[in-house]
Amino acid sequence: MPLIGYARVSTEDQTPLPQSQALKSAGCAEIHEEQASGGNRARPVLARVLERIAKGDTLVVVRIDRLARSLSHLLEVIERLEAKGAFFRSIMDPIDTSSPQGKFTLQVLGAAAEFERALIRERTKAGLASARTEGRVGGNPGLRARDPAALRKVRLARQDGYMERLNETAQDWVPHVRRLRPDMAWEDVVRIVNGPLPRERQWTQSRLLRAVNAYVRDGFLLETVLARAGRRETDDRLPAIVAAIKGADPDITLQAICTRLEAMRERTPRGRTNWQPSSVKMLLGRAEKLGLLSTLR
């Protein structure tokens, strides 16, 4: 199984060299280094690694905290790897999802996280019930009085919370939006974004548009991504979709593209539901003649 190493440091003063050496000693032929805060889930290097990792690969880190600072983020990354048929291993922690022992450790961590959330919910309910019996009304006094300053503060806090949630999923959709818009219609962009995602994490067009507008407003995406898509000839649509999938992962196989198209419920040029590598190869050839592959890289 190919071992893919990931090394992260938080500041420019730190060096990833010790991590890289440990990963190389563990057998990693490919090592990716990144300088970013562990609390930031939208890390571009990590996003590219997770996007390109293939079935049978193993993502390796020296310690868990090099990958994630929270249990929820760790479980989210491992869930993405499992959806692709890939594995996760930490050299200094007892986690290796390719082994039964590692899977058991992961299940224990997941159970602990759920238990912690349940405790927090019960404590909150008990606290609110106690306050009501003593005649205390919960909530913000400023909000109850409709104070403009308090309302503005809450609105900004909600915006911050929304942006934080978006940052956790940015690696799923931002690279596609940057590459495909405005050359491709939103309905096709959404289908390409959802292709590799599990059903519970898939986007609707309205949700994706809201997220893109928020990122444009804050300067994370160029305003041009919101421009109207040009009209595309009917015969060019399938080559454009296949080119977009290939552009997101240049090493993807023809069979994997077939699987992605079937998951998107995209029909073949002859209207069939089952795709063959020969059809994909033909469409890639047409996309190259149309110049679609070069524009989407």
Side-chain angles (χ1 to χ4, degrees):
M1 294 186 296
L3 301 181
I4 300 173
Y6 175 74
R8 181 190 63 80
V9 293
S10 299
T11 66
E12 294 180 356
D13 297 333
Q14 298 173 319
T15 174
L17 183 58
Q19 294 180 56
S20 297
Q21 289 175 338
L23 292 169
K24 186 175 181 180
S25 299
C28 296
E30 182 181 335
I31 298 173
H32 300 268
E33 299 178 350
E34 184 162 35
Q35 188 263 305
S37 168
N40 180 15
R41 298 193 181 190
R43 297 176 232 151
V45 175
L46 179 60
R48 287 196 298 271
V49 171
L50 294 176
E51 188 173 314
R52 296 186 61 180
I53 203 163
K55 183 177 181 180
D57 292 348
T58 299
L59 179 64
V60 185
V61 296
V62 175
R63 295 192 312 274
I64 288 177
D65 66 348
R66 297 302 87 198
L67 177 67
R69 285 289 182 86
S70 68
L71 182 55
S72 61
H73 187 204
L74 173 65
L75 295 175
E76 177 187 320
V77 171
I78 293 177
E79 181 181 330
R80 289 193 63 183
L81 293 173
E82 288 184 337
K84 288 192 166 189
F87 307 100
F88 171 72
R89 175 186 168 197
S90 175
I91 297 174
M92 300 181 68
D93 302 292
I95 295 183
D96 182 349
T97 60
S98 65
S99 69
Q101 295 88 348
K103 288 183 179 179
F104 175 73
T105 302
L106 192 61
Q107 290 171 354
V108 171
L109 288 174
E114 180 57 34
F115 180 63
E116 183 181 10
R117 287 192 291 268
L119 284 178
I120 292 173
R121 286 195 296 268
E122 290 303 318
R123 289 169 183 165
T124 301
K125 289 179 182 178
L128 291 173
S130 176
R132 283 193 294 268
T133 59
E134 295 176 4
R136 288 185 283 120
V137 180
N140 188 314
L143 293 181
R144 292 201 301 272
R146 309 297 295 174
D147 178 64
L151 293 172
R152 180 175 179 275
K153 190 173 181 180
V154 169
R155 186 172 63 252
L156 291 175
R158 286 176 177 170
Q159 289 177 358
D160 289 343
Y162 176 62
M163 292 303 294
E164 185 176 343
R165 292 193 299 275
L166 283 186
N167 291 340
E168 294 175 358
T169 62
Q171 58 196 14
D172 294 337
W173 55 275
V174 169
H176 293 294
V177 171
R178 282 187 176 138
R179 284 188 311 105
L180 305 179
R181 290 290 305 164
D183 297 319
M184 184 172 286
W186 281 112
E187 60 185 43
D188 290 327
V189 173
V190 172
R191 297 172 76 185
I192 291 169
V193 167
N194 286 337
L197 298 179
R199 183 173 298 276
E200 64 272 11
R201 288 176 50 199
Q202 292 188 353
W203 295 77
T204 62
Q205 185 170 325
S206 59
R207 281 185 59 230
L208 183 61
L209 279 170
R210 183 189 173 199
V212 171
N213 273 283
Y215 261 45
V216 169
R217 183 193 65 223
D218 285 5
F220 296 128
L221 285 171
L222 296 177
E223 194 171 353
T224 52
V225 300
L226 294 172
R228 183 183 295 273
R231 178 168 294 181
R232 189 180 293 281
E233 297 294 332
T234 305
D235 291 344
D236 293 352
R237 182 176 171 275
L238 279 176
I241 291 175
V242 173
I245 296 172
K246 180 72 172 177
D249 184 1
D251 298 326
I252 193 171
T253 64
L254 295 176
Q255 186 58 56
I257 296 177
C258 290
T259 303
R260 186 76 59 84
L261 290 168
E262 289 172 2
M264 294 166 60
R265 298 185 177 179
E266 194 66 54
R267 291 188 175 270
T268 69
R270 295 186 178 182
R272 297 172 181 170
T273 56
N274 294 325
W275 282 81
Q276 299 297 324
S278 57
S279 299
V280 173
K281 187 176 181 180
M282 177 196 70
L283 290 172
L284 284 173
R286 190 186 302 174
E288 190 165 6
K289 289 180 181 178
L290 292 170
L292 299 174
L293 284 175
S294 59
T295 58
L296 291 173
R297 279 172 188 156

